Amino acid sequence: KGPVSTSSDGELPFETQEPIAADERSFFGGRPQKPSAPDARTPLPASLAGHEHYHGHRERLRDRFRELGDNVGEACNLSQLAVVYVPALRNGDAIAASRRAIELLEALAPGPALAGAYRVEAQLRHYMRECEAAVAWSNKSLALAEQLQDGFLIAAGISTRGAATLFLDFDAGLADLHRGLDLSLASGDACIAANTYNNLGAGCGETFRLREARHYMATGIAFADLHE
């Protein structure tokens, strides 16, 4: 399959984009941290997801964290903001938010938030089919997650790398995705497992392995329904 086409401003058409896991822990690792108020990690009501209200809320949080001088809170919120910009086709804003989050966190001691921010950047590059860059950012996230011994971010990072690798070396990408799935299922991280099923189904579909795509999507839907 050839490269995914984009519009003249580089935005991806909506139907080519895959969902990003909504689990807030994906940016911070499995070990909760006590943030300053307001909390950048607090999930918003599902009814707001994908709407301008959600973007506006995150943008107001961004401004508030800046006023407080809370760089970690601002960075974590920026990674969240990058994620919610994607379904609205605001890819340029998503990249800017993600890179600013990384810039803020790299100036501090490395921790789960930085590993999560690297993974968000990898996801963005994957959705834009910059697969080599997505793999490189995934590896940065994984290296830090392994140093921190953060099992959640390790499973998430392996799955993210696998989703991008499918388009470079299908068998290697499939192996990564299955490893990430096994780790997330073993640790009970249902959101990462469901997202990995989605990436398996979408990747197989885009490479015309349609029987496998149907299997992974059906299994993923049943799994998500069970764990919703």
Side-chain angles (χ1 to χ4, degrees), residues 52-65:
E52 286 301 321
H53 297 293
Y54 196 112
H55 304 156
H57 181 88
R58 288 290 174 194
E59 287 163 354
R60 288 190 295 274
L61 274 177
R62 173 199 60 200
D63 296 340
R64 180 60 177 150
F65 279 119

Side-chain angles (χ1 to χ4, degrees), residues 18 126 129 163 166-167 170 177 197-209 213 216-217:
E18 300 166 25
H126 169 218
R129 292 301 182 262
L166 279 179
F167 299 96
F170 184 85
L177 283 165
Y197 278 124
N198 179 74
N199 282 328
L200 282 162
C204 286
E206 289 197 50
T207 54
F208 296 97
R209 292 164 171 85
Y216 288 125
M217 294 307 295

Side-chain angles (χ1 to χ4, degrees), residues 19-217:
I20 300 178
D23 191 326
E24 304 262 339
R25 293 178 304 155
S26 62
F27 308 109
F28 311 99
R31 297 184 297 276
Q33 302 177 66
K34 187 173 182 180
S36 58
D39 189 349
R41 301 173 300 151
T42 303
L44 296 178
S47 61
L48 294 181
H51 295 282
E52 286 301 321
H53 297 293
Y54 196 112
H55 304 156
H57 181 88
R58 288 290 174 194
E59 287 163 354
R60 288 190 295 274
L61 274 177
R62 173 199 60 200
D63 296 340
R64 180 60 177 150
F65 279 119
R66 286 176 182 171
E67 292 173 4
L68 292 171
D70 184 344
N71 288 345
V72 174
E74 181 184 352
C76 291
N77 185 66
L78 282 168
S79 280
Q80 288 277 21
L81 190 55
V83 167
V84 299
Y85 277 149
V86 172
L89 302 181
R90 296 174 61 177
N91 290 357
D93 290 332
I95 292 169
S98 174
R99 296 308 295 271
R100 177 58 180 160
I102 291 169
E103 179 184 354
L104 287 168
L105 291 168
E106 284 185 335
L108 307 173
L114 179 57
Y118 286 154
R119 178 174 167 255
V120 169
E121 183 69 20
Q123 287 177 302
L124 295 178
R125 297 300 168 181
H126 169 218
Y127 301 134
M128 296 174 192
R129 292 301 182 262
E130 298 175 10
C131 294
E132 292 88 352
V135 169
W137 284 105
S138 295
N139 284 334
K140 285 173 71 73
S141 177
L142 269 171
L144 183 51
E146 289 169 352
Q147 178 184 331
L148 298 168
Q149 298 183 331
D150 190 311
F152 180 88
L153 283 171
I154 290 171
I158 291 170
S159 294
T160 299
R161 183 177 67 187
T165 304
L166 279 179
F167 299 96
L168 303 171
D169 180 334
F170 184 85
D171 290 337
L174 194 66
D176 259 355
L177 283 165
H178 276 286
R179 183 183 169 209
L181 181 62
D182 289 343
L183 289 172
S184 58
L185 289 173
S187 60
D189 289 316
C191 187
I192 293 301
N195 200 52
T196 303
Y197 278 124
N198 179 74
N199 282 328
L200 282 162
C204 286
E206 289 197 50
T207 54
F208 296 97
R209 292 164 171 85
L210 301 184
R211 187 186 302 274
E212 294 93 330
R214 176 174 291 181
H215 165 72
Y216 288 125
M217 294 307 295

